[in-house]
Amino acid sequence: MASADGVTAETSTPVAAEPTSVFLRACARLRVDRTPVWLLRQAGRYQPEYRALREKHSLLELVRTPELAAQVTLQPIESFGLDAAIVFSDILPPLVGMGLELDFARGEGPVIGNAISSPRDVDLLATPPAEESMAPTLEAIRIVRRELEPRDVPVIGFAGAPFTLASYAIEGGSSRDFMRTKAFMLSEPAAWKRLLGKLVTVQADYLIAQAKAGAKALQVFDSWAGRALGRADYLRYVAPANRELYGKLGAAGVPVVNFSLGVGTYLEQAAACGGDVVGIDWQLPLDEAWERIGAERPVQGNLDPAALLAPWPELRFRIDDVLERAGGRPGHVFNVGHGLVPQTPPDNVKRLVEHVRDRTSR
Ligand code: CP3
């Protein structure tokens, strides 16, 4: 700030320019002229354009070819005019650089060929820099950013949280009860700590690299800690690693969304691990969740993705319910409370986006 005699006061600090996009403004709890909206898994099998590409390429081919990943990222933006793009990838590819063999088997979901079963396996895991192991995703971010910057639509980068990634690495794929993961955690606490430590190193580096490549916000997905663990185990075995991860992400210089699924019994503690914005899952009423984490924290959420399978009057009723619970307070990003499912009619996505816009324009 300039003082009266024209000399710049020494105490002045440069103030970062206010973002202009509605999404980034809401992440900073700034005034918006309408509520921003984007959707978890907004790119995917519910879209005919995506299914057409998948007939020619595997999921990992799409992820590892920057031009194709960028194309898929942009599809829902072109079709529905969402307020943010999320780079097309998955949470699991960073595990490949660590030495795990990843494949997506048709109809079965992810499969890891050499799952972790001993402390020695943990010690053999590599921690390569993201520029080496995740270069195609970083390049996809650069392409998407060039495309979307003129439209002021930001790109979101993302990664999995340590527990969620550890669960895939130990189970060798998806799991119902996470028993192998919990048995390892309880029997080998020192190796568990080393495993989560390595995951924090790799994910923090990857997320910061995504911000450097042009991601204007980052989201951390902790999909399974809340399903697998009670509060005491979460606090003891997971929260320290999450706190370390969010702490490191301060260096990214962009807002971070902490999306922890199924943590209703310890939402306050999960939110306290860090992140600027808290993603609320579909199981909690938005107003109650917001009160529990504090009105000064921006929130993202939380329509049940199943609502998109309902006829329009029911879907509209449920969208309005989320908006009413948000109450027009600053700092709300409209989203689903978990990913869109493949059966979602694209027309309902279109109507949802238009309705959120119409209802919240001020
Ligand atoms: O548009 C977007 O949201 C970006 C893309 C994205 C994908 N996966 C693509 C994908 C994102 C953000 C993810 C995150 C992800 N992946 C999570 C965290 C979010 C959550 O849903 O809780 C998790 C747990 C995974 C792991 C994963 N990936 C599973 C269990 C599966 C198989 C089940 C399924 O939905 O098919 C995947 C595959 C996957 N990742 C698909 C997509 C579009 C389907 C792949 C296909 O085309 O066959």
Side-chain angles (χ1 to χ4, degrees):
M1 196 194 295
S3 61
D5 58 3
V7 178
T8 304
E10 263 180 72
T11 50
S12 71
T13 44
V15 177
E18 269 193 10
T20 48
S21 75
V22 272
F23 168 67
L24 292 174
R25 291 184 65 82
C27 288
R29 284 184 74 236
L30 294 166
R31 191 188 47 75
V32 285
D33 50 19
R34 60 186 169 77
T35 299
V37 49
W38 72 277
L39 302 166
L40 304 178
R41 293 271 179 112
Q42 62 192 22
R45 284 162 298 183
Y46 77 97
Q47 292 179 291
E49 316 86 282
Y50 177 83
R51 289 197 302 271
L53 266 182
R54 278 283 279 112
E55 274 176 22
K56 289 183 268 170
H57 307 277
S58 71
L59 174 63
L60 285 174
E61 269 166 25
L62 293 181
V63 168
R64 287 178 178 149
T65 313
E67 296 72 21
L68 292 175
Q71 188 184 336
V72 176
T73 305
L74 292 167
Q75 280 172 350
I77 310 300
E78 309 295 355
S79 302
F80 311 116
L82 294 145
D83 294 310
I86 180 161
V87 64
F88 188 77
S89 181
D90 193 81
I91 58 168
L92 300 173
L95 296 180
V96 175
M98 299 180 79
L100 295 165
E101 295 155 12
L102 171 67
D103 199 6
F104 286 88
R106 227 168 235 292
E108 281 174 53
V111 180
I112 289 179
N114 54 345
I116 289 172
S117 62
S118 69
R120 188 180 138 75
D121 293 340
V122 172
D123 296 328
L124 290 174
L125 291 174
T127 54
E131 272 87 2
E132 249 168 51
S133 59
M134 293 301 295
T137 301
L138 300 177
E139 183 55 23
I141 291 173
R142 290 186 199 100
I143 298 172
V144 172
R145 191 190 169 197
R146 274 200 296 276
E147 199 66 40
L148 293 183
E149 191 149 58
R151 291 185 243 170
D152 206 13
V153 175
V155 192
I156 302 169
F158 73 90
F163 180 91
T164 292
L165 292 176
S167 82
Y168 284 103
I170 295 172
E171 305 285 340
S174 301
S175 171
R176 267 181 182 282
D177 56 16
F178 302 93
M179 282 307 151
R180 280 173 198 267
T181 307
K182 294 175 77 169
F184 191 94
M185 180 183 95
L186 298 172
S187 320
E188 301 288 353
W192 173 260
K193 223 173 147 184
R194 293 202 298 281
L195 172 58
L196 265 55
K198 284 187 169 186
L199 289 166
V200 167
T201 301
V202 168
Q203 302 310 304
D205 175 68
Y206 176 40
L207 286 159
I208 292 167
Q210 292 181 72
K212 280 192 189 141
K216 294 287 177 209
L218 299 169
Q219 175 152 326
V220 177
F221 287 94
D222 204 353
S223 300
W224 307 133
R227 178 176 292 180
L229 303 179
R231 185 194 296 161
D233 282 338
Y234 178 84
L235 289 175
R236 178 160 177 190
Y237 293 101
V238 177
N242 283 356
R243 280 197 294 271
E244 197 190 338
L245 176 64
Y246 290 111
K248 283 174 184 267
L249 295 182
V254 300
V256 176
V257 185
N258 168 350
F259 178 67
S260 302
L261 188 74
V263 294
T265 51
Y266 44 94
L267 176 67
E268 297 84 346
Q269 289 88 348
C273 288
D276 303 278
V277 181
V278 182
I280 308 297
D281 78 16
W282 56 274
Q283 294 192 312
L284 291 161
L286 188 70
D287 46 351
E288 195 183 303
W290 206 344
E291 202 176 303
R292 282 172 63 188
I293 60 171
E296 69 295 340
R297 203 93 179 265
V299 296
Q300 177 175 282
N302 77 336
L303 181 74
D304 183 345
L308 282 114
L309 309 181
W312 173 243
E314 178 67 20
L315 172 55
R316 187 184 52 204
F317 175 79
R318 284 166 177 251
I319 297 168
D320 287 343
D321 182 61
V322 170
L323 292 173
E324 269 157 39
R325 289 175 192 279
R329 285 184 288 273
H332 177 223
V333 175
F334 192 98
N335 207 315
V336 274
H338 199 190
L340 297 182
V341 296
Q343 308 90 300
T344 304
D347 238 24
N348 279 353
V349 175
K350 188 161 181 284
R351 290 176 100 167
L352 178 156
V353 174
E354 285 168 3
H355 187 69
V356 171
R357 280 219 175 120
D358 291 350
R359 276 294 304 257
T360 63
S361 286
R362 354 192 201 270

